[in-house]
Amino acid sequence: MSLKVAVVFGGKSTEHEISIISAIQAIGYINREKYEVIPVYATKNSDFYVGEDIDKIEEYKNIPNLLKKSQQVVWIKEGDKVNLYRFPMKKFGNNIISSVDIVFPIVHGTNVEDGVLQGYFQTLGLPVAGCDVLSSAVGMNKYVMKTVLKDNGIPVLDCKCFTWKDYENIDSIIEKVEKNFSYPVIVKPLNLGSSIGISKASNREQLIDALDLAFEFTRKILVEPAVEKLKEINCSVLGDYEEAEASECEEPVNSDEILSFEDKYISGAKGSAKGANGGSKGMASLKRKIPADITDEQRTKIRTMAVEAFKCLGCSGVSRIDFMIDESNGNIYLNEINTIPGSLSFYLWEPLGKKYSNLLDDILQLTLKADRESHKVVYTFESNVLDGIKLGGGTKGSKM
Ligand SMILES: Nc1ncnc2c1ncn2[C@@H]1O[C@H](COP(=O)(O)OP(=O)(O)O)[C@@H](O)[C@H]1O
Ligand SMILES: [Mg+2]
C-alpha cells in the first residue's frame, strides 16, 4: 500500500503565490509508485481545499472559481489516524475524503514556514516533512538565527533589532544605528522573506524612509551594515541532525541592488501574474549562475559552513542557506536560511546528479526516519502526582 502524502501549500502568508508554484511543481515529481499524493490548498484564510483541479496552476488565476468547484476539508484525528473530512459535513453518507499518513508542507513565509503549520500537524500526530517546529521558528527569525549561529562560531553580520514601540521614538533608533554602524545600512523585517520590506539606507533621510517601509510589514525589524561589494552565494543542504550534505552553489544574478521580489519570482515569468502563472518556474526561473563563479576554496568553505549551520539549527529535509561574500576583503557571512526554499532548491541538486523525484523521495524518507525515532521517545510518564491531590485556595488542602 502506498503512503498517503498530503502536500499542503498556500496559507496565510505574503509568499502565498510562490508557495503555489513551488508545491505544484513538486507534486509533478513525487514518485507515484511509492506515494499517493493528496494536494491540499490552504487559502489565505487558512481554509483547506482538495479537488481535481487543486494541482492545476492555471486554475489559480481565478481562485474564487477554483474554490467553488473544489471541496473544503478539515483534519480530524481519530485515534492514531488522521482523516480529511468534507466540510461542512453531509448529514448522510461518507464524509471521509481520505486518510493521511504524512504531511509535506510546501509553504513559504511567516505563519506557515515558521513552525506554526508544522505545530498544527504535529499536534494531530502526523509526521511532517522538513524542519520541525523549533528549527522552522529559529530559521524564520533572522535575529534568533544569527544568535544561534554566532554561538556556534558561524560568521554573521552584527545587527540591532527594533520594535514598533521603539518606532514611536524614531530618533532613538537613528541614534542607536548611527552609534553602532556607519552608513550604508540595510533595514529588514525580522521574519519575512522574498525581500519584502527590505531597503538600503546611505544616510539619515534614507534610514527614516527604510524604517517607514519595513514597519509597514512587520512589528520587528533589524538593521545591519550593508555589504557594498556583495557577491551572493546560495547552497542547499539535505539531511538531518545525523547526516547532511551540501548541494552545488549558485550565484543569483540581480538586476537591482537588492534582489527583489520581482527578480526572484516575476522577471523570469512571461506575462507575469505575480508569479502564479502557468509559465513560471518560481525560484528556478531566476537568473543565476550554477555553479557559482567562486574559487574552489570559497566553494568548500561555503558548503562546509552550510552543513554546519543546518545541523546547529536542528534542520531536516532540504533547506537553502544564503551567504554573502564581501568582495572588498573576502569575508563570508551567512545571511539567512530558508527552511522551505523556493522550488525546494531542486535545481541545485540536479548538477550533482540528483533528480528532483529522488530529492523528494529523500525528504519523505527522512520524515519517516524521524517519525520512527519519535516513537522511541517516552512521552507519557506514569506517576501518581494527581492521586490524592487537593488544590489550594481554601482553608484546607496542599499549597500548590
Ligand atoms: N547586509 C546586507 N548587505 C547588502 N545587501 C543585503 C544585505 N542584507 C540583505 N541584502 C540584500 O537583500 C536581499 C534580501 O535580503 P535577505 O536577508 O536575504 O531577506 P529575504 O528573507 O527577504 O530574502 C539579499 O538577497 C541581498 O540582495
Ligand atoms: Mg534572501
Side-chain angles (χ1 to χ4, degrees):
M1 219 174 64
S2 55
L3 279 168
K4 291 186 172 155
V5 180
V7 176
V8 178
F9 56 99
K12 189 179 167 188
S13 157
T14 44
E15 293 169 274
H16 181 94
E17 289 77 8
I18 316 307
S19 142
I20 298 172
I21 300 171
S22 285
I24 291 182
Q25 198 176 41
I27 285 167
Y29 286 94
I30 296 179
N31 182 345
R32 299 304 170 107
E33 278 167 26
K34 280 177 95 168
Y35 309 103
E36 185 183 323
V37 179
I38 311 154
V40 183
Y41 169 59
T43 65
K44 285 191 180 170
N45 202 24
S46 304
D47 294 325
F48 297 98
Y49 281 84
V50 299
E52 230 172 70
D53 295 323
I54 229 74
D55 61 350
K56 299 198 175 103
I57 191 79
E58 61 281 2
E59 294 286 341
Y60 288 85
K61 284 180 186 159
N62 187 345
I63 293 176
N65 189 50
L66 171 63
L67 298 186
K68 246 188 254 164
K69 52 182 176 170
S70 303
Q71 175 63 56
Q72 190 176 345
V73 289
V74 287
W75 308 77
I76 295 183
K77 172 175 154 29
E78 294 175 282
D80 287 340
K81 289 198 79 138
V82 175
N83 290 315
L84 282 173
Y85 272 75
R86 186 192 314 277
F87 183 82
M89 289 186 204
K90 286 197 294 194
K91 243 185 170 163
F92 302 103
N94 183 14
N95 281 301
I96 298 181
I97 302 280
S98 177
S99 60
V100 175
D101 298 315
I102 303 184
V103 173
F104 194 164
I106 306 188
V107 286
H108 306 308
T110 309
N111 279 320
V112 284
E113 186 184 348
D114 56 357
V116 172
L117 198 63
Q118 289 75 3
Y120 174 64
F121 293 122
Q122 189 180 332
T123 305
L124 289 174
L126 281 168
V128 185
C131 286
D132 66 1
V133 171
L134 182 63
S135 50
S136 303
V138 172
M140 183 58 72
N141 185 305
K142 291 188 163 91
Y143 177 70
V144 179
M145 178 207 70
K146 277 174 190 272
T147 309
V148 175
L149 293 174
K150 221 188 266 181
D151 197 46
N152 283 275
I154 295 171
V156 291
L157 286 170
D158 275 340
C159 71
K160 291 283 164 224
C161 288
F162 301 99
T163 66
W164 247 357
K165 188 80 191 144
D166 302 315
Y167 185 50
E168 285 171 12
N169 179 2
I170 199 165
D171 288 342
S172 72
I173 300 186
I174 295 169
E175 197 190 315
K176 206 164 171 189
V177 168
E178 291 183 348
K179 198 173 137 215
N180 284 281
F181 310 120
S182 48
Y183 290 108
V185 291
I186 295 279
V187 179
K188 54 175 104 167
L190 215 62
N191 59 353
L192 291 183
S194 296
S195 303
I196 294 165
I198 300 188
S199 57
K200 185 167 156 182
S202 299
N203 53 49
R204 192 176 290 184
E205 216 172 56
Q206 289 179 5
L207 176 60
I208 295 170
D209 289 344
L211 291 168
D212 289 343
L213 176 76
F215 277 116
E216 263 180 47
F217 293 98
T218 157
R219 285 179 294 176
K220 286 183 186 165
I221 60 127
L222 66 78
V223 181
E224 65 184 24
V227 176
E228 292 196 85
K229 287 199 78 190
L230 172 67
K231 184 181 256 195
E232 295 188 72
I233 303 293
N234 304 339
C235 178
S236 174
V237 178
L238 170 70
D240 64 6
Y241 69 99
E242 281 183 321
E243 259 187 69
E245 53 174 330
S247 72
E248 190 47 86
C249 295
E250 66 166 329
E251 182 183 346
V253 183
N254 29 343
S255 56
D256 209 343
E257 265 210 306
I258 285 183
L259 199 52
S260 70
F261 188 80
E262 279 74 18
D263 284 326
K264 283 183 178 168
Y265 303 109
I266 297 174
S267 64
K270 274 187 221 139
S272 149
K274 281 246 162 183
N277 60 330
S280 174
K281 288 189 185 147
M283 269 306 277
S285 68
L286 178 67
K287 279 178 248 136
R288 51 167 50 91
K289 281 188 213 157
I290 304 175
D293 188 12
I294 45 176
T295 63
D296 285 349
E297 196 192 337
Q298 285 173 321
R299 181 176 182 270
T300 304
K301 214 168 163 182
I302 284 175
R303 294 178 81 229
T304 306
M305 242 194 260
V307 170
E308 276 172 18
F310 182 92
K311 286 190 172 175
C312 80
L313 294 170
C315 298
S316 44
V318 75
S319 292
R320 196 191 76 229
I321 304 184
D322 298 352
F323 295 86
M324 297 192 285
I325 302 179
D326 182 343
E327 290 195 291
S328 67
N329 54 21
N331 289 346
I332 302 175
Y333 303 98
L334 195 155
N335 180 38
E336 65 156 340
I337 180 163
N338 297 282
T339 52
I340 307 181
S343 298
L344 299 183
S345 298
F346 79 88
Y347 53 87
L348 291 176
W349 292 96
E350 280 182 340
L352 298 187
K354 193 185 283 292
K355 291 196 178 121
Y356 196 8
S357 57
N358 293 337
L359 174 67
L360 292 162
D361 191 25
D362 287 352
I363 296 169
L364 289 167
Q365 290 303 317
L366 284 162
T367 315
L368 294 174
K369 176 188 171 217
D371 187 52
R372 281 193 301 274
E373 288 178 359
S374 78
H375 291 300
K376 292 186 190 149
V377 179
V378 177
Y379 290 108
T380 53
F381 184 68
E382 296 297 332
S383 83
N384 59 358
V385 170
L386 294 177
D387 285 351
I389 198 163
K390 286 181 190 149
L391 294 179
T395 47
K396 288 179 198 159
S398 62
K399 271 190 189 164
M400 287 292 287

